[in-house]
Amino acid sequence: MAAVSSPSADLSAALVLKPVDALDWLVILPVAWCIGIGAILMMVRHRTFLQPLIAIAALGVLVGLDAALLWHVSQNGPVTMVMGRWLPPFGIAFTVDLTGALFALMAAVVALAGAVAAVTDINGSGRRYGFYPLLMLLMAGVSGAFLTGDVFNLYVWFEVLLISSFGLLVLGSEREQIDGAVKYGFLNLVATTLFLIATGYLYGIFGTLNMADIAAKAVEVRGTAPLTTLIALFVFAFAMKAAAFPVNFWLPASYHTPRIVVSALFAGLLTKVGIYALIRVSVMLFPLERQELSLVIALAGALTMITGALGALAQTDTRRLLGYLVISGIGSMLAGIAVGGSGGIGGTVFYALHSMVVMTALYLAAGLAARLSGGFSLSSLRGLYTRHALFSALSLMLFFAVAGLPPFSGFWPKVMLVKSALDTGAWWLAGALLLAGFLTMIATGRLFLLAYWRPAGAAAPSGEVALPATLLLPLIALTAVSVLIGLFPEMLLGLVQKAALTLNEPSRYLHSVFPAGSAP
Amino acid sequence: MEPVFALLTGIFLAIAIYLLMSKFIIRMLIGVAILGNAVNLLIFTSGRIMRGVPPVIGPGLDVPAGPVANPLPQALILTAIVISFSFFAFLLVLSWRAYSTLGTDNTDEMRVAEPDDAALPPLGY
């Protein structure tokens, strides 16, 4: 550079001069790792044999990275890293608190299970069209959304995961998939555009997009700026991404069309990113506005869970049935956001983590059921129990987990949510939660009765059918995670309560972005 | 200046929403393109419009000499343009594929994934 600035310039006013702590690199590493591996996989796109090996190894490393990040954050509190060393709020910040780290770890676990299951499920042409690179880029988007500390950056990660999900959705180009992708594409694009509109207004009001900076400045601006309207816009956009009633009909229209592994990954990851963003913006940034909107969110949540469970009861296709169960779970999470407080928010985070594991496992189970007994239609599925007793037992555990029965992972978040709803006097919301659980139990019980317990026809071959290990192993692993969470909830309960504490009282988050002395 | 831009954004948004409510994919596609531009204008306006020089710092200086335009909305819009353009391209190809595969661009008739005449679920054993 020719034009060197005068030597007297004090760089410490603009830049973080302290070298970055080695452990702090963990904040950015999950995203960089996914993008890098995605690019490498893109280069070896035609080596269909190499692709799963690289991707599974890389996702294994990602699980390790996210686990290390979670450990680091739980030991030292929220961690911030600013791009280009600009002092916050000028650089793009990656800030991780317990919530983000927990979500990122669970997403990595789910993606690893999906990548293993895809070894058998995604055939040669699916791999040549880039299943694994798209999966890595999807994970880059998902991890980025969970780890970023900047609202516009969050929008960019949303778009990264959205375009990867488009690619995964149309993998195979069947008629059904294209039909589903049109609806998914348009509605999700409108949702992210709404998010961008809200971000534009946010920038107009605050002049900053750094989350910690906004949380600090919201106190001054409150009263002069139409913050409730702004938050309503955010809530609407994220509710659409998360598939909340009444803007959820793109989900049952599209989630059953792609390959079953892709459906499983979508069910586990995508709607939860919407929930995460909703928690981040409404709970941490604008708690008072969330309280004003809580009745609306609670109503939307109650309707989402009831209509989701009723929709599940009315379906013939197992994949569509599961799509409605995804929606029903979103309703429970919204209920927790509406109630607020440590119990409500902690319950929402816990429920989201449980739902990631269980919904992915359920879709994988639906794929296995189709493999065992020809098809996804409930009228043709029968006699699964005699075909594979272990698989039936795993499925039953997952059905119990999704309905919220002890001792599986769905029980504890449900208890937290019902209790905190009752504590705030929202008895009708607690009733809706219990009713939705009851209806879900009936829906999954009916599925079990018809597909697993109903005797196979005389024409069908009897006896056990072997299943490929790459499909059975992820299912066993995810079910084991669900059972372990259900049996030993103390550790996760402690973590989500601490996470809710940081969200409700973001002083530690702010302190991590603006260490003492450099107030915003 | 702002009221003019606000009005223009409003008109763009109205047209986009009207087009998005159509049942023909090609109109929805044009709606998406206009919606993207409406949002870009919105961000541009919310970053405060002013008659300033470009935010370029002269040689030998550490800070700009006079008032300068706010560069951040332009950076944001640039990102948004790139993203919305790529999405538009994807949706365009997808719509063409949908038209050639399904033989229609009327969303009312696109019921392959959710058939109208789906059979009732089994009501008993």
Side-chain angles (χ1 to χ4, degrees):
Chain A
M1 284 287 177
V4 182
S5 57
S6 53
S8 67
D10 185 12
L11 283 179
S12 67
L15 296 180
V16 181
L17 292 179
K18 187 166 59 87
V20 180
D21 200 9
L23 270 175
D24 284 2
W25 284 96
L26 279 173
V27 176
I28 185 77
L29 219 50
V31 183
W33 175 255
C34 288
I35 294 180
I37 297 293
I40 291 172
L41 284 174
M42 204 62 120
M43 287 179 224
V44 294
R45 205 152 65 94
H46 296 285
R47 309 260 176 87
T48 49
F49 176 72
L50 266 181
Q51 295 239 343
L53 295 179
I54 300 178
I56 290 170
L59 285 169
V61 172
L62 182 68
V63 172
L65 284 177
D66 281 329
L69 180 63
L70 178 62
W71 175 81
H72 182 44
V73 171
S74 67
Q75 295 297 313
N76 306 323
V79 187
T80 300
M81 189 173 169
V82 196
M83 302 302 113
R85 285 198 178 185
W86 289 101
L87 272 184
F90 298 112
I92 293 171
F94 266 61
T95 308
V96 189
D97 62 354
L98 262 181
T99 320
L102 278 170
F103 270 88
L105 175 61
M106 213 49 115
V109 170
V110 163
L112 179 61
V116 174
V119 172
T120 315
D121 194 61
I122 304 288
N123 54 13
S125 87
R127 285 186 203 169
R128 263 194 294 282
Y129 283 125
F131 171 80
Y132 283 105
L134 285 171
L135 172 63
M136 289 313 289
L137 294 177
L138 181 79
M139 278 316 289
V142 170
S143 312
F146 289 150
L147 304 182
T148 188
D150 182 287
V151 179
F152 193 79
N153 205 229
L154 182 65
Y155 160 76
V156 174
W157 293 120
F158 261 78
E159 300 285 24
V160 169
L161 73 90
L162 194 57
I163 197 91
S164 319
S165 71
F166 284 171
L168 289 173
L169 195 63
V170 294
L171 208 71
S173 310
E174 284 161 26
R175 279 163 58 84
E176 260 196 352
Q177 288 180 320
I178 288 175
D179 186 356
V182 167
K183 287 151 196 172
Y184 177 88
F186 273 99
L187 285 169
N188 273 283
L189 190 58
V190 170
T192 33
T193 312
L194 274 172
F195 175 24
L196 186 57
I197 292 176
T199 308
Y201 281 128
L202 191 72
Y203 177 69
I205 292 173
F206 287 95
T208 175
L209 289 162
N210 186 303
M211 289 182 190
D213 204 17
I214 292 168
K217 282 184 180 161
V219 187
E220 308 159 19
V221 178
R222 193 165 281 137
T224 54
L227 287 189
T228 311
T229 317
L230 180 68
I231 294 316
L233 206 54
F234 270 118
V235 168
F236 184 53
F238 292 142
M240 203 162 164
K241 299 290 302 178
F245 186 84
V247 280
N248 56 3
F249 290 99
W250 55 268
L251 193 151
S254 59
Y255 267 31
H256 63 292
T257 57
R259 305 304 305 255
I260 199 75
V261 170
V262 176
S263 294
L265 288 168
F266 281 16
L269 300 175
L270 297 191
T271 46
K272 276 64 179 188
V273 181
I275 285 291
Y276 169 81
L278 192 57
I279 294 176
R280 181 64 71 201
V281 168
S282 66
V283 178
M284 194 184 88
L285 300 188
F286 301 104
L288 290 180
E289 285 72 20
R290 180 195 62 76
Q291 275 176 16
E292 280 178 46
L293 286 174
S294 68
L295 184 63
V296 180
I297 302 177
L299 273 175
L303 285 170
T304 309
M305 54 189 145
I306 301 289
T307 51
L310 286 176
L313 270 172
Q315 296 306 313
T316 323
D317 186 310
T318 49
R319 291 170 302 176
R320 297 196 63 191
L321 192 157
L322 295 177
Y324 277 100
L325 290 186
V326 173
I327 294 177
S328 181
I330 295 298
S332 308
M333 296 173 220
L334 284 181
I337 294 177
V339 170
S342 165
I345 305 303
T348 301
V349 174
F350 200 146
Y351 200 101
L353 299 173
H354 136 82
S355 174
M356 278 174 161
V357 174
V358 171
M359 287 321 302
T360 309
L362 277 171
Y363 268 98
L364 292 180
L368 280 175
R371 225 165 241 273
L372 283 173
S373 183
F376 294 100
S377 167
L378 269 184
S379 44
S380 67
L381 276 173
R382 45 171 67 213
L384 288 176
Y385 184 77
T386 51
R387 296 278 174 81
H388 208 299
L390 170 67
F391 166 66
S392 307
L394 291 173
S395 307
L396 190 62
M397 290 185 205
L398 291 171
F399 291 158
F400 278 5
V402 75
L405 292 186
F408 301 103
S409 62
F411 176 64
W412 302 103
K414 211 114 202 186
V415 169
M416 285 173 88
L417 291 174
V418 170
K419 182 174 179 304
S420 52
L422 285 176
D423 283 349
T424 52
W427 54 268
W428 57 274
L429 195 58
L433 276 162
L434 294 175
L435 179 63
F438 177 64
L439 289 174
T440 311
M441 192 64 241
I442 295 180
T444 51
R446 177 173 145 270
L447 179 59
F448 191 78
L449 210 63
L450 289 172
Y452 294 77
W453 216 240
R454 184 165 53 160
S462 58
E464 288 247 336
V465 181
L467 284 172
T470 51
L471 283 177
L472 205 53
L473 269 181
L475 186 66
I476 293 175
L478 290 177
T479 315
V481 171
S482 166
V483 173
L484 282 178
I485 293 176
L487 290 179
F488 307 103
E490 296 88 357
M491 206 179 91
L492 198 56
L493 266 177
L495 281 176
V496 297
Q497 270 164 355
K498 264 170 83 180
L501 207 67
T502 321
L503 285 169
N504 284 323
E505 196 57 57
S507 55
R508 295 190 72 191
Y509 190 96
L510 297 190
H511 181 77
S512 121
V513 182
F514 303 106
S518 66
Chain B
M1 205 59 184
E2 273 93 351
V4 181
F5 268 78
L7 201 66
L8 192 64
T9 312
I11 293 172
F12 267 47
L13 274 175
I15 296 173
I17 290 167
Y18 174 75
L19 285 170
L20 277 170
M21 286 193 294
S22 164
K23 60 185 171 188
F24 295 103
I25 295 185
I26 194 71
R27 289 197 196 174
M28 290 166 64
L29 206 58
I30 298 171
V32 165
I34 295 178
L35 185 64
N37 284 305
V39 177
N40 292 339
L41 271 179
L42 188 149
I43 298 177
F44 191 60
T45 317
S46 69
R48 273 174 284 284
I49 299 167
M50 55 181 287
R51 226 175 252 280
V53 294
V56 178
I57 301 172
L61 293 175
D62 281 333
V63 286
V68 293
N70 184 357
L72 194 67
Q74 305 184 19
L76 299 182
I77 293 170
L78 189 59
T79 315
I81 287 176
V82 173
I83 291 173
S84 65
F85 184 73
S86 69
F87 273 104
F88 181 74
F90 179 87
L91 285 180
L92 188 65
V93 175
L94 182 69
S95 308
W96 176 74
R97 256 321 267 282
Y99 178 67
S100 57
T101 314
L102 307 172
T104 176
D105 79 331
N106 183 340
T107 45
D108 283 352
E109 291 166 18
M110 296 174 73
R111 301 210 56 107
V112 185
E114 297 175 287
D116 258 336
D117 51 351
L120 273 178
L123 301 172
Y125 263 26

